[in-house]
Structures are given as C-alpha cells and as structure tokens.
Amino acid sequence: MGNHTPVGTFLLWGFSSFPDLQTLLFVMILFSHATILAANVSVMVAIKCTHNLHTPLYFLLGGLSFSETCTTMAIIPRLLVDLRSESKTISLSECATQMLFFFGLSCSNCFIMSAMSYDRYTAIRNPLRYATLMTPKVCFQLMAASWVVGFLVSLCIVVVIFNLSFCDSNVIQHFFCDISPVMCLACDYTLYHEMAVFVFSTFVLGGSFILIMISYVFIGSVVMKVPSAKGRCKAFSTCSSHLTVVCIHYVFAGFVYLRPKDRDSLREDMLMAVAYTILTPLLNPIVYSLRNKEMQVALRKVLDNANRFILQMVNERTLNW
C-alpha cells in the first residue's frame, strides 16, 4: 500500500454541507419515514385482515410493502441519528452490513415487481386457470426466489467492494454507504471492479425490467384481442397501478446505478437517492390505494378499526382517572 494510510472508519458526509438545514431536514425525513411506515404497514394489515384480498396479487403486494419498509429501515434511522449527531462515523463492517441489506432488499423489490407482472399476465391470459396456476405455494416460491437472488447479488457486490483497500480519504459523499461513493475511496479501484458492479446492477435492473416488459408485451397482445373497448380498458386497468410503480422505481434506480459515474456526479446521485429511498416507498402504497377500489375499502376498514381502538383506549384511561 506504500505510503497510504489504511482507513478503519468512514465519515458519512451526507447533508453536512447544509449545517443550517439539519433541523429542517431531520423533521422532514422523520415525518416522511413515519408516513412510509404507516402507509406500508396499513397496506400489509389491510391485506392480512381482508379475506377478499387473499389473492396472489395482494400477497405479492404485501411482500413488496414489507420489503420496502425494511429497505427504508436500513437507511433512514441511521440518517436521522447522523442529522442530530456531531460524529457521523461508521465502521467498515457497519458500512458493509448496511450496503448488504439495502441492496439485497432493493434487488428483491425488482424481482418481486417482475413476479407481479407475471401474475397480471397469468390473470389476463388464463383467467379460468388462474387459481390453479398461481397457487399459494407458487406465490411463496416467487417471493422466496426474489429474496434469495436479491441478497446473493448484493453479497457479490459487497464482496467485490470490501475486498478493496481503503486509504487516505475516508469521507463518503453520501448519507449512506452507496456503491459509487464507497468504491471511489479505494486505493486499488480499477475498471475491472467498476465493470463487475455494473454487470451485477444491470443483471438486477435490466434483467427484471426485461422480464416485466416481456410480460406486458404478452398482456398487450392478449388484451388487443378482446372485442369490446370496455373489456380492453378493464383489463388494462388491472395493470395500471403496477405499471405506475414500475416506472417510478426504474426511472430513479436506473438514473443512479446504470449511468456512467465520475466524482462530479456523486452529489446528483445523492439527491436522486433521496427520491429513491424516501419518495418511492412513500408513493407505492399511495398509488395502489388511489387506483384500487378493493384496497381503498380495506384501508378504510383498517383506519376505522384503528380509530375505534384509540378512542376506546382514551375512554378507558379517562374513566380510570
């Protein structure tokens, strides 16, 4: 390593360039995090407690909500602590663990969305055989495969990056241990490492997106054979929520992880990562609830039950006083 000084810890620089905005950012991100948790947990509870939603589509949607909730938990609590702390250091092992879980869960999200597109194709192509083709066992296998493949890819990326030697600068120009900001701090970082990470990223984002597009090409070919315009609109409407979520997810993720990198692009990537880690998990349950009447009804029941429970607790405490 020559005269280089080995690095034992990193400094998550994040939003330190805006010291006057730390409190405002803390409040905004805390509110967003609470909203993400409330929205996604409400979706999961609604699916669990509503018999009409015990279908393959909603099983996969519940899995996506759970995965996205865990994804934000890997990033945002640490970010909130750093915003209120003078010390923003993170050890190499903690950094590797955060990267492993964040990208493992993010990759899983991509494959779960691919499974959801296959589910929509099966429902439209074979409506009479849908229940026999998309059994609970098949749904569980699709979900498990999404998680296993996602974490295997993430593990490969982490191994590639943390086998590098880190020296001299230890400042990560990001609010979490993202791939490019960490990798560019390595002394022996080469084009080989960049290409290896790019191949893994392309496999996840490009591969899952191609699977989704193939499903929708087949869906389109089936729907166009429906004789009535009303029937075609009804068939497409069952896919609209999923397509909206896919577009939001892949636009942000593709911009951050598939475009050419240089040190000057790290600040842009950080701003896009805010949208990717906060905006996407927040919009997904909103999109599905706004565009789905069954989900709206289920969520109203969950909120009504929650309100009744809170009022009952308040009344009991009032009587005890």
Side-chain angles (χ1 to χ4, degrees):
M1 201 179 297
N3 296 325
H4 294 297
T5 305
V7 170
T9 58
F10 290 126
L11 176 67
L12 289 169
W13 186 250
F15 299 104
S16 299
S17 300
F18 313 102
D20 297 335
L21 298 177
Q22 298 288 299
T23 302
L24 177 61
L25 287 169
F26 177 84
V27 172
M28 291 175 61
I29 294 172
L30 178 63
F31 176 76
S32 299
H33 186 47
T35 306
I36 290 169
L37 293 179
N40 282 288
V41 169
S42 296
V43 168
M44 289 186 280
V45 172
I47 292 170
K48 178 67 176 178
C49 298
T50 307
H51 182 73
N52 291 341
L53 301 185
H54 291 176
T55 63
L57 172 64
Y58 292 106
F59 174 81
L60 295 170
L61 175 59
L64 180 63
S65 293
F66 176 75
S67 184
E68 291 201 321
T69 301
C70 293
T71 304
T72 60
M73 292 297 293
I75 300 297
I76 298 182
R78 169 80 199 205
L79 171 58
L80 292 172
V81 171
D82 286 344
L83 284 171
R84 304 305 299 164
S85 173
E86 293 295 328
S87 173
K88 305 179 191 300
T89 58
I90 184 171
S91 68
L92 264 69
S93 59
E94 290 173 331
C95 189
T97 301
Q98 185 186 60
M99 187 181 291
L100 173 68
F101 278 96
F102 176 74
F103 287 104
L105 292 162
S106 298
C107 294
S108 300
N109 293 343
C110 294
F111 292 115
I112 291 171
M113 283 188 277
S114 298
M116 293 173 75
S117 67
Y118 172 72
D119 169 78
R120 291 299 82 206
Y121 165 71
T122 306
I124 292 173
R125 177 68 177 84
N126 298 294
L128 299 179
R129 298 179 56 208
Y130 176 62
T132 58
L133 291 173
M134 293 296 293
T135 61
K137 181 180 179 181
V138 171
C139 293
F140 178 80
Q141 289 173 339
L142 289 171
M143 186 70 69
S146 299
W147 280 64
V148 170
V149 175
F151 272 91
L152 280 176
V153 172
S154 180
L155 179 62
C156 292
I157 292 174
V158 170
V159 168
V160 168
I161 293 175
F162 285 88
N163 270 334
L164 296 170
S165 300
F166 298 97
C167 50
D168 297 337
S169 177
N170 70 332
V171 179
I172 299 175
Q173 298 291 336
H174 214 300
F175 58 86
F176 73 97
C177 292
D178 205 354
I179 294 173
S180 294
V182 173
M183 197 159 58
C184 72
L185 298 178
C187 309
D188 47 355
Y189 164 62
T190 65
L191 182 62
Y192 161 77
H193 299 100
E194 183 176 355
M195 287 303 300
V197 171
F198 179 77
V199 168
F200 285 123
S201 301
T202 303
F203 169 73
V204 173
L205 290 172
S208 60
F209 186 73
I210 288 171
L211 291 175
I212 292 170
M213 289 300 100
I214 290 173
S215 295
Y216 276 104
V217 167
F218 284 120
I219 288 171
S221 65
V222 172
V223 170
M224 293 310 295
K225 296 176 183 177
V226 176
S228 67
K230 185 177 180 181
R232 289 195 294 270
C233 289
K234 184 178 180 180
F236 275 125
S237 68
T238 64
C239 307
S240 59
S241 298
H242 180 253
L243 269 175
T244 304
V245 168
V246 165
C247 291
I248 294 170
H249 180 87
Y250 281 90
V251 165
F252 288 128
F255 183 86
V256 174
Y257 297 109
L258 294 184
R259 71 191 182 106
K261 294 289 188 293
D262 56 58
R263 292 179 182 270
D264 295 331
S265 68
L266 294 180
R267 186 177 291 270
E268 294 177 12
D269 287 350
M270 187 177 74
L271 295 176
M272 290 299 293
V274 172
Y276 182 65
T277 57
I278 296 176
L279 187 61
T280 303
L282 183 61
L283 287 178
N284 288 356
I286 294 173
V287 169
Y288 273 101
S289 60
L290 287 178
R291 302 180 69 90
N292 192 306
K293 291 182 179 180
E294 289 179 322
M295 182 59 72
Q296 290 176 11
V297 172
L299 286 172
R300 284 195 197 100
K301 289 181 180 179
V302 170
L303 292 175
D304 289 343
N305 291 334
N307 287 334
R308 280 198 294 269
F309 176 77
I310 293 171
L311 289 173
Q312 183 179 353
M313 293 293 292
V314 170
N315 289 335
E316 287 179 358
R317 290 198 173 189
T318 303
L319 290 174
N320 290 334
W321 287 345

